[in-house]
Amino acid sequence: MNETDKEIKERDIAIAGNESKQQTTSSIRVSVWAIGVAVMLGLGFFGWLLAR
């Protein structure tokens, strides 16, 4: 491989790593939202049971 091919390959590896980090961050963010919604629904249901 010449120098240009090596640079391209290194850049592609760096881009793939960045995309992986972004996907992980996005997945964590979605999970936090899902847990928050589930907790709020559970608290609402518990409150409804107590109010009966």
Side-chain angles (χ1 to χ4, degrees), residues 28-39:
I28 291 170
R29 189 176 298 129
V30 169
S31 297
V32 168
W33 272 101
I35 291 169
V37 169
V39 167

Side-chain angles (χ1 to χ4, degrees), residues 30-52:
V30 169
S31 297
V32 168
W33 272 101
I35 291 169
V37 169
V39 167
M40 293 303 289
L41 288 173
L43 289 173
F45 181 73
F46 186 68
W48 176 74
L49 285 176
L50 290 175
R52 288 181 65 199

Side-chain angles (χ1 to χ4, degrees), residues 2-14:
N2 61 22
E3 202 58 38
T4 305
D5 290 339
K6 289 180 183 179
E7 290 173 2
I8 291 172
K9 192 169 189 174
E10 289 174 4
R11 187 179 67 219
D12 288 345
I13 291 171

Side-chain angles (χ1 to χ4, degrees), residues 18-38:
N18 289 338
E19 288 176 355
S20 176
K21 289 177 187 176
Q22 286 177 339
Q23 186 173 3
T24 301
T25 302
S26 178
S27 295
I28 291 170
R29 189 176 298 129
V30 169
S31 297
V32 168
W33 272 101
I35 291 169
V37 169

